[in-house]
């Protein structure tokens, strides 16, 4: 597929790199009207003061991406799928328009030598060569003009600068007088800058291609160099005949135009449903991600408006602007100032919700402010005052990636990096828009004293593993205090192991197996072992509903007790009708005690289906004849985690087989909840229960799940792919009748109705009875007991048609 990108800025480079990362085979072409390779426009000021060259601010682009320069696209032929410049044509399969915007001017300056805009490298070259010993007139009071004013103010070859402001404010008309004063003083203290408010150009004298004199409402300026910084407009005129346009090229939320093969992103695009045109780099990259996902078919992705943070960093002040997409007029403002620190925090409030925040030299935790805006929380003015001080993570350094000073310092300390180039594997700070790159570099340099000189530099995987290990340790310490009435320490467990005649070597072997099964790094073995030894601190209720007790018996039926039995004897299994010693009122009191005194702490394990027929009267439990569904709901209400174990608890299993007279369903359906973790099987492998509990214990979260809420580490692999008989399948060696030669030689059981190709579980790798065997190894085909509706669809010895498997 040939993907052509029109544009040469940040969005174009981001698109090209993103496409190549996801599909290295894609042919990507960037067509740019500029003479330079894609560069970072955020750093244009460094071209004005000549501290950098264009090559220094070039953006990294995948070397396999083709780039055509000096090609200004003038038209699009949708039918032929071609774009045209004045002297070239380029064909495409998919086209992405990322042409950005054009600067506005108050009159035509294209032929004037001493007038410029501030938008690209050529503008900067013109400004740098033309301003020497001139009276510079800068028109505009927005972020672009103020950033350029800071640079011009420090140049020695400029004698005077006049900032023409049409209104009476700087940056934003809603800013308080205090904020205006702080911003204004930052520029006026040099004595070089004069700000003329409520002023504009009224006349101009031009001799040939030179402006000789400018006249404003208040001033007359001879021999000026004029720079416009008054705003931008989408650069889309070339596309107006081919595509629907308003301010920009109209797209849907997939960033797709009315032509399914043409997309537009960034400042050139106008999302029709949202009436939105991007104005920040972060918005442009979010739209680029959406376009890439939809073009490559990775996923159907939509652009949604988010809270955006903008930063303006100049000499003596730093401005942070956090804005909700819903911010509008009609707000009230809360102002918190510190004259001593020149700090001003302005909170824009509408209907008791924060919609915008502008901070100058602020110490406020911007992450907290963003969460207030994002979640539309009712604000507490008192807390805003309390939150005026710097947060635990320090100052916000990179607004695009939400990276704070302490975050960077921690990365340096953890990894031993010493330069900006070494940071990229660990963080994108300074790389999205690039505005904060210098600050990031400064933090890295200033943090070198945090690095242990003897440490070995770490990879991102090493750092991630260290963080996980630290988190696990905290979790285990927490769980050690949860259940004081059922104490268990390492000595108790060792004694129990001795009683069962299980050696420490066997325990360690089992721990290694659990660790590998959970797809954890071997370094986690020590913590898995410690986690197992603290499982007894987790209160567990095990309900047995409509079933055959097969899952419970899987733990206890063994001529030589297995390690699974040991663990489930010594975890805090406070309530289990089959295994507990208490009975009658005593057992009911134990259950009631748990669900009333340990809310949000206990784990609920449910075995068996839930009959709903006749209002649940097909299943009654306990001395009061409580129905199964009533008991389930009562126990599930305040459980921290719910596990459904076995096929019947998954979707009704055998109990729900046609015609299902009891109306049996699985636990999730009975509760009407989608947060139940399903561990199907007939029976479930005890290791899968242990692994899931350990994941919850160690990481404070459930493992990654599939579409049926089954843990991927246990149910991602297809049984057929890991079967020891797979080689016979590939050779066409099948058992045809029970007891034939193929059966004796261990050939494939597919012809005898094995459902391994249709079932996903870890049975072949984990096996049962301490890893000794599993059904196929024992000579019987898989019945697919981990899949939905297995008893009606799969539990037979017949081959099935592919279409029958849902």
């Amino acid at each position: 597929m040939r993907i052509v990108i029109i544009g040469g800025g940040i969005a174009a480079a981001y698109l090209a790199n993103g496409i190549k990362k996801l599909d290295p085979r894609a042919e990507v072409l960037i067509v740019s009207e500029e003479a330079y390779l894609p560069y970072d426009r955020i750093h244009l000021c460094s071209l004005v003061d000549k501290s950098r060259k264009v090559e220094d601010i070039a953006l990294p682009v995948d070397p396999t991406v083709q780039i055509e320069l000096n090609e200004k696209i003038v038209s699009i032929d949708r039918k032929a799928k071609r774009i045209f410049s004045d002297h070239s044509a380029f064909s495409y399969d998919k086209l992405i328009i990322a042409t950005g915007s054009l600067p506005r001017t108050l009159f035509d300056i294209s032929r004037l030598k001493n007038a410029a805009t501030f938008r690209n490298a050529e503008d900067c070259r013109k400004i740098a060569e033309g301003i020497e010993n001139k009276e510079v007139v800068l028109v505009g009071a927005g972020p672009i003009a103020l950033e350029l004013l800071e640079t011009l103010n420090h140049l020695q070859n400029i004698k005077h600068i006049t900032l023409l402001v049409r209104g009476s404010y700087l940056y934003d008309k809603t800013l308080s007088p205090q904020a205006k004063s702080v911003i204004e003083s930052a520029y006026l203290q040099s004595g070089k800058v004069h700000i003329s408010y409520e002023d504009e150009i009224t006349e101009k004298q031009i001799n040939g291609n030179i402006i000789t004199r400018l006249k404003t409402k208040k001033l007359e300026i001879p021999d000026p160099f004029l720079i416009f910084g008054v705003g931008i407009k989408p650069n889309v005129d070339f596309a107006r005949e081919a595509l629907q346009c308003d301010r920009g090229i109209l797209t849907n939320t997939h960033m797709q135009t009315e032509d399914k093969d043409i997309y537009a992103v960034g400042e050139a695009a106008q999302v029709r449903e949202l009436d939105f045109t991007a104005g920040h780099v972060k918005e442009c990259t979010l739209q680029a991600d959406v376009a890439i996902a939809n073009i490559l078919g990775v996923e159907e992705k939509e652009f949604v408006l988010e809270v955006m943070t903008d930063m303006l960093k100049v000499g003596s002040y730093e401005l942070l602007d956090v804005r909700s997409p819903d911010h509008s007029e009609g707000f009230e403002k809360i102002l918190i100032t510190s004259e001593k620190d020149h700090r001003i925090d302005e909170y824009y409030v509408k209907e008791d919700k924060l919609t915008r925040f502008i901070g100058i030299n602020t110490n406020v935790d911007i992450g907290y402010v963003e969460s207030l805006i994002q979640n539309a929380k009712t604000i507490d003015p008192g807390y805003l005052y309390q939150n005026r001080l710097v947060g635990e993570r320090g100052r916000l350094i990179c607004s695009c990636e939400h990276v704070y000073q302490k975050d960077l310092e921690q990365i340096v300390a953890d990894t031993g990096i010493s330069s900006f180039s070494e940071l990229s594997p660990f963080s994108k700070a300074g790389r999205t828009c690039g505005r904060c790159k210098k600050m990031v570099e400064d933090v890295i340099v200033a943090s070198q004293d945090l690095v242990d000189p003897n440490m070995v530099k770490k990879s991102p995987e090493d750092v991630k593993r260290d963080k996980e290990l630290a988190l696990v340790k905290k979790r285990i310490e927490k769980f050690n205090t949860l259940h004081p009435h059922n104490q268990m320490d390492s000595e108790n467990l060792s004694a129990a192991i001795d009683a069962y005649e299980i050696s420490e070597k066997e325990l360690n072997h089992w721990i290694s197996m659990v660790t590998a099964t959970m797809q954890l790094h071997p370094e986690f073995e020590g913590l898995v072992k410690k986690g197992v030894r603290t499982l007894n601190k987790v209160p567990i209720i095990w309900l047995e509903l409509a079933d055959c007790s097969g899952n419970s018996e899987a733990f206890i039926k063994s001529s030589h007790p297995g390690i699974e039995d040991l663990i489930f004897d010594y975890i805090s299994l406070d309530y289990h009708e089959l295994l507990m010693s208490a009975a009658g009122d005593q057992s009911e009191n134990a259950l009631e005690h748990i669900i009333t005194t340990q809310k949000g702490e206990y784990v609920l394990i449910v075995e068996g289906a839930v009959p709903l027929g006749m209002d649940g009267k097909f299943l009654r439990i306990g001395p009061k004849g409580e129905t199964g569904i009533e008991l389930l709901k009562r126990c599930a209400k305040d459980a921290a985690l719910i596990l459904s174990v076995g096929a019947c608890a998954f979707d009704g299993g055998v109990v729900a087989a046609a015609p299902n007279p009891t109306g049996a369903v699985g636990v999730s359906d009975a509760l009407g909840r989608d947060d139940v973790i399903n561990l199907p099987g007939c029976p479930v492998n005890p290791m899968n229960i242990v692994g899931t509990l350990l994941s919850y214990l160690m990481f404070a979260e459930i493992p990654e799940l599939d579409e049926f809420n089954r843990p991927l580490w246990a149910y991602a692999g297809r049984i057929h792919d890991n079967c020891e008989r797979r080689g016979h399948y590939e050779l066409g060696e099948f058992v045809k009748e029970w007891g034939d030669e193929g059966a004796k030689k261990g050939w494939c059981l597919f012809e005898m109705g094995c459902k391994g190709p249709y079932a996903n579980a870890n049975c072949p790798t984990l096996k049962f009875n301490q890893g000794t065997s599993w059904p196929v190894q024992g000579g019987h085909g898989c019945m697919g007991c981990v899949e939905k509706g297995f008893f009606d669809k799969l539990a037979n010895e017949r081959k099935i048609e592919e279409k029958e498997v849902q």
Side-chain angles (χ1 to χ4, degrees):
M1 178 166 56
R2 179 178 170 87
I3 303 173
V4 176
I5 303 167
I6 308 177
I10 294 175
Y14 186 90
L15 282 161
N17 291 331
I19 292 168
K20 279 293 187 179
K21 183 177 181 179
L22 291 176
D23 185 3
R25 298 171 299 175
E27 181 184 354
V28 180
L29 168 66
I30 292 177
V31 181
S32 171
E33 67 177 276
E34 295 201 52
Y36 308 101
L37 294 173
Y39 58 88
D40 192 344
R41 298 176 196 275
I42 298 296
H43 297 294
L44 286 178
C45 284
S46 65
L47 302 184
V48 173
D49 65 16
K50 298 183 180 180
S51 61
R52 296 183 183 180
K53 298 179 180 179
V54 181
E55 296 78 14
D56 299 328
I57 61 172
L59 294 164
V61 179
D62 187 290
T64 63
V65 173
Q66 304 172 57
I67 303 178
E68 292 286 345
L69 302 176
N70 297 306
E71 296 286 359
K72 182 177 181 179
I73 299 304
V74 295
S75 63
I76 301 171
D77 186 338
R78 289 170 50 184
K79 186 175 181 180
K81 301 184 80 168
R82 288 187 177 186
I83 56 174
F84 298 89
S85 67
D86 288 332
H87 45 76
S88 301
F90 306 94
S91 62
Y92 64 85
D93 294 314
K94 300 288 184 182
L95 178 67
I96 311 177
I97 300 172
T99 45
S101 56
L102 296 173
R104 295 183 182 275
T105 60
L106 302 181
F107 53 86
D108 183 13
I109 63 170
S110 58
R111 298 182 181 180
L112 299 178
K113 285 188 176 182
N114 60 336
T117 54
F118 179 60
R119 192 61 182 165
N120 58 39
E122 279 302 310
D123 290 338
C124 295
R125 181 193 60 77
K126 188 175 183 180
I127 293 171
E129 293 176 357
I131 56 178
E132 188 167 355
N133 296 320
K134 293 283 188 180
E135 173 75 21
V136 176
V137 178
L138 178 57
V139 183
I144 294 175
L146 294 179
E147 188 173 14
L148 178 59
L149 179 61
E150 168 73 8
T151 299
L152 297 174
N153 201 8
H154 289 87
L155 293 180
Q156 299 299 317
N157 59 349
I158 297 178
K159 59 182 182 181
H160 197 262
I161 305 167
T162 296
L163 181 69
L164 283 185
V165 182
R166 195 172 187 177
S168 58
Y169 59 87
L170 297 175
Y171 184 77
D172 190 286
K173 65 181 180 181
T174 65
L175 279 180
S176 65
Q178 294 96 322
K180 175 185 172 182
S181 176
V182 170
I183 296 174
E184 186 181 81
S185 63
Y187 301 107
L188 298 182
Q189 58 189 359
S190 69
K192 187 187 294 187
V193 175
H194 168 66
I195 303 177
S196 185
Y197 292 105
E198 297 181 339
D199 201 1
E200 59 185 315
I201 297 172
T202 57
E203 295 181 26
K204 56 186 179 296
Q205 293 180 7
I206 299 176
N207 186 1
N209 56 4
I210 300 291
I211 301 174
T212 57
R213 186 175 297 273
L214 283 175
K215 193 171 183 180
T216 76
K217 289 180 178 180
K218 301 179 178 181
L219 305 169
E220 190 168 333
I221 305 170
D223 193 23
F225 190 94
L226 176 63
I227 305 172
F228 283 113
V230 293
I232 56 176
K233 61 180 180 179
N235 180 17
V236 298
D237 288 346
F238 70 95
R240 290 190 179 276
E241 290 187 9
L243 299 168
Q244 293 179 12
C245 298
D246 182 23
R247 299 187 306 275
I249 298 170
L250 293 173
T251 75
N252 56 25
T253 53
H254 296 102
M255 306 315 299
Q256 189 178 48
T257 68
E258 78 266 29
D259 187 317
K260 65 181 179 64
D261 293 320
I262 301 179
Y263 292 73
V265 303
E267 295 169 331
Q270 181 180 341
V271 183
R272 189 194 305 266
E273 292 94 321
L274 306 173
D275 190 27
F276 174 80
T277 300
H280 298 82
V281 171
K282 187 65 176 179
E283 293 164 340
C284 295
T285 56
L286 287 173
Q287 291 182 351
D289 288 334
V290 170
I292 292 169
N294 290 301
I295 288 172
L296 298 182
V298 175
E299 62 176 308
E300 188 174 323
K301 200 170 186 178
E302 292 189 273
F303 173 71
V304 294
L305 292 175
E306 296 184 2
V307 174
M308 280 296 146
T309 301
D310 202 9
M311 305 179 78
L312 179 61
K313 301 179 180 182
V314 296
S316 60
Y317 77 90
E318 179 179 305
L319 185 148
L320 277 166
D321 189 348
V322 187
R323 184 195 296 252
S324 164
D326 300 324
H327 175 71
S328 60
E329 300 296 328
F331 54 81
E332 297 177 300
K333 189 188 289 187
I334 298 173
L335 188 66
I336 301 176
T337 67
S338 170
E339 186 175 344
K340 173 185 175 184
D341 301 323
H342 302 288
R343 187 181 74 245
I344 301 170
D345 297 330
E346 305 195 5
Y347 296 89
Y348 296 70
V349 181
K350 190 172 184 179
E351 297 177 355
D352 293 329
K353 306 292 194 301
L354 185 65
T355 62
R356 189 181 186 185
F357 168 82
I358 296 181
I360 297 178
N361 300 326
T362 185
N363 285 334
V364 167
D365 184 342
I366 299 302
Y368 166 71
V369 171
E370 289 175 334
S371 70
L372 277 181
I373 297 176
Q374 185 74 48
N375 300 320
K377 294 180 178 178
T378 300
I379 64 164
D380 175 2
Y383 189 77
L384 296 182
Y385 176 75
Q386 295 170 2
N387 192 55
R388 73 195 185 281
L389 301 177
V390 67
E392 292 182 357
R393 296 168 68 186
R395 292 172 56 222
L396 181 68
I397 300 296
C398 177
S399 62
C400 294
E401 297 298 324
H402 294 80
V403 176
Y404 292 76
Q405 181 174 344
K406 295 295 183 182
D407 300 335
L408 287 173
E409 291 175 351
Q410 192 64 53
I411 290 174
V412 172
D414 290 343
T415 65
I417 65 169
S418 58
S419 67
F420 181 77
S421 61
E422 295 177 324
L423 176 66
S424 58
F426 306 97
S427 173
K428 292 182 180 179
R431 283 184 163 79
T432 301
C433 78
R435 187 185 299 274
C436 61
K437 181 180 177 182
K438 181 65 168 60
M439 290 186 68
V440 173
E441 292 173 336
D442 291 344
V443 172
I444 293 173
V445 171
S447 305
Q448 289 305 299
D449 60 332
L450 301 175
V451 178
D452 181 350
N454 299 316
M455 77 176 292
V456 178
K457 287 191 176 181
K458 297 180 180 180
S459 68
E461 292 75 21
D462 295 333
V463 174
K464 180 181 178 182
R465 188 161 60 246
D466 287 347
K467 289 181 178 178
E468 288 177 341
L469 288 167
L471 178 63
V472 169
K473 290 176 181 177
K474 288 183 179 179
R475 286 286 297 169
I476 289 177
E477 290 171 3
K478 176 183 175 181
F479 274 91
N480 273 336
T481 64
L482 277 181
H483 205 46
H485 72 274
N486 188 14
Q487 293 295 316
M488 171 66 70
D489 56 27
S490 298
E491 292 183 5
N492 297 140
L493 183 62
S494 296
I497 290 173
D498 292 339
Y500 278 110
E501 298 182 351
I502 299 174
S503 68
E504 183 73 11
K505 181 179 180 181
E506 288 173 314
L507 173 64
N508 290 337
H509 174 75
W510 185 86
I511 292 295
S512 297
M513 184 167 60
V514 171
T515 306
T517 300
M518 294 174 65
Q519 300 177 8
L520 297 174
H521 191 277
E523 286 187 18
F524 279 83
E525 287 187 6
L527 288 171
V528 169
K529 187 173 183 178
K530 189 173 182 181
V532 170
R533 285 173 168 166
T534 57
L535 273 177
N536 72 296
K537 308 301 192 300
V538 185
I540 294 178
I541 296 173
W542 185 308
L543 293 184
E544 191 166 356
L545 303 180
D547 74 323
C548 65
S549 302
N551 296 284
S552 295
E553 292 188 30
F555 293 110
I556 61 174
K557 270 205 168 183
S558 176
S559 57
H560 300 288
I563 192 70
E564 291 89 355
D565 310 328
L566 176 66
I567 289 174
F568 278 88
D569 269 342
Y570 281 87
I571 66 171
S572 182
L573 193 54
D574 295 77
Y575 183 88
H576 190 306
E577 292 99 333
L578 181 65
L579 301 179
M580 67 190 301
S581 58
D585 291 341
Q586 188 178 1
S587 66
E588 292 300 307
N589 292 339
L591 176 62
E592 193 64 30
H593 176 75
I594 300 168
I595 63 178
T596 56
T597 65
Q598 300 190 66
K599 294 180 179 181
E601 297 179 1
Y602 64 88
V603 173
L604 175 62
I605 299 178
V606 185
E607 175 183 10
V610 189
L612 299 182
M614 293 178 59
D615 297 324
K617 293 184 178 66
F618 281 103
L619 175 65
R620 289 188 179 275
I621 299 174
K624 297 178 183 179
E626 188 175 24
T627 64
I629 182 61
E630 290 172 340
L631 175 63
L632 173 63
K633 288 182 176 180
R634 188 158 60 92
C635 294
K637 180 182 177 182
D638 295 309
L641 178 71
I642 305 174
L643 305 182
S644 79
V645 299
C648 295
F650 178 39
D651 66 350
V654 178
V655 185
N660 191 11
T662 66
V665 298
V667 173
S668 180
D669 287 341
L671 292 173
R673 293 173 56 165
D674 58 7
D675 60 346
V676 176
I677 310 307
N678 295 312
L679 300 170
C682 193
V684 64
N685 194 311
M687 185 84 79
N688 291 339
I689 301 177
V690 175
T692 304
L693 287 172
L694 282 174
S695 180
Y696 170 71
L697 169 68
M698 293 166 61
F699 299 109
E701 61 184 24
I702 58 176
E704 190 175 358
L705 307 173
D706 68 7
E707 60 181 317
F708 300 119
N709 271 25
R710 303 178 300 189
L712 283 178
W713 65 265
Y715 294 92
R718 190 169 60 163
I719 286 178
H720 181 63
D721 295 339
N722 295 301
C723 178
E724 63 260 54
R725 299 184 185 231
R726 175 66 186 268
H728 296 292
Y729 175 89
E730 302 294 343
L731 294 172
E733 296 175 343
F734 300 101
V735 176
K736 300 293 186 180
E737 293 181 6
W738 297 119
D740 66 10
E741 281 299 307
K744 296 175 182 177
K745 294 179 179 179
W747 286 3
C748 179
L749 297 166
F750 182 69
E751 297 291 333
M752 300 302 293
C754 179
K755 307 307 187 301
Y758 313 106
N760 286 62
N762 54 5
C763 301
T765 53
L766 192 58
K767 301 183 180 181
F768 289 81
N769 298 324
Q770 299 185 55
T772 56
S773 188
W774 67 294
V776 174
Q777 184 177 345
H780 194 288
C782 168
M783 292 195 301
C785 64
V786 294
E787 300 300 325
K788 273 194 173 287
F790 96 92
F791 197 80
D792 288 331
K793 299 175 183 177
L794 306 175
N796 53 63
E797 295 178 357
R798 302 184 301 276
K799 288 177 61 177
I800 61 175
E801 298 294 333
E802 294 284 347
K803 64 182 180 181
E804 292 183 16
V805 180
Q806 301 298 321

